[in-house]
C-alpha cells in the first residue's frame, strides 16, 4: 500500500537528519495517513479512503466528501478520488433527471 493520500496526493518527502556534529544522513518524512470512512450523501453509503489529516480537515471544512470533490479540480485529485468524483456526479445527474 502506497504512502500517499487518496485525496490530495500528499506523499513521502526526503531530507537530512543532521547530528550535533553536523553529519548528514538521509531520512524520510512520512505523511500522517489515516484510514477513514466518510459518508457520501449523494451515493448514500460510506466510502473508505486513506487520507492525510490535512485532507480530512479540508473535507470537513468544505462540508463533506461530496462538496470537497465537486469543488476540487481533477488535476489536484488522485486517480481513486477522480473515480469517486465521477460516481458522485453520475448519481447527481440521475437524481436531477428523476426529479
Amino acid at each position: 500500500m502506497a504512502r500517499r493520500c487518496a485525496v490530495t496526493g500528499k506523499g513521502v518527502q526526503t531530507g537530512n537528519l543532521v547530528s550535533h556534529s553536523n553529519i548528514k544522513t538521509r531520512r524520510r518524512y512520512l505523511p500522517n495517513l489515516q484510514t477513514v470512512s466518510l459518508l457520501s450523501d449523494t451515493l448514500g453509503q460510506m466510502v473508505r479512503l486513506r487520507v492525510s489529516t490535512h485532507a480530512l480537515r479540508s473535507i470537513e471544512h468544505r462540508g463533506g466528501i461530496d462538496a470537497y470533490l465537486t469543488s476540487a479540480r481533477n488535476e489536484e485529485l488522485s486517480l481513486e478520488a477522480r473515480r469517486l468524483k465521477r460516481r458522485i456526479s453520475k448519481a447527481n445527474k440521475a437524481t436531477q433527471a428523476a426529479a
Side-chain angles (χ1 to χ4, degrees):
M1 183 179 284
R3 287 188 172 97
R4 186 161 297 277
C5 177
V7 176
T8 61
K10 183 183 285 194
V12 177
Q13 293 183 329
T14 59
N16 287 320
L17 182 73
V18 181
S19 70
H20 180 69
S21 61
N22 208 23
I23 297 172
K24 294 167 186 71
T25 55
R26 297 302 284 178
R27 65 156 293 177
R28 293 165 40 134
Y29 293 95
L30 301 177
N32 187 5
L33 296 178
Q34 307 292 324
T35 303
V36 293
S37 295
L38 300 167
L39 178 64
S40 172
D41 296 327
T42 306
L43 298 176
Q45 62 185 7
M46 298 297 277
V47 178
R48 246 176 95 134
L49 294 172
R50 191 164 186 226
V51 298
S52 63
T53 53
H54 176 72
L56 190 58
R57 287 172 52 113
S58 299
I59 289 169
E60 293 298 320
H61 178 74
R62 290 196 191 172
I65 189 70
D66 298 341
Y68 180 86
L69 291 176
T70 53
S71 65
R73 295 189 319 247
N74 283 337
E75 297 84 36
E76 60 189 31
L77 296 175
S78 68
L79 180 64
E80 186 179 1
R82 278 182 278 176
R83 286 180 182 154
L84 182 60
K85 181 178 179 177
R86 205 171 309 124
R87 282 179 50 202
I88 289 171
S89 65
K90 282 182 183 180
N92 270 337
K93 289 177 184 175
T95 56
Q96 288 175 356

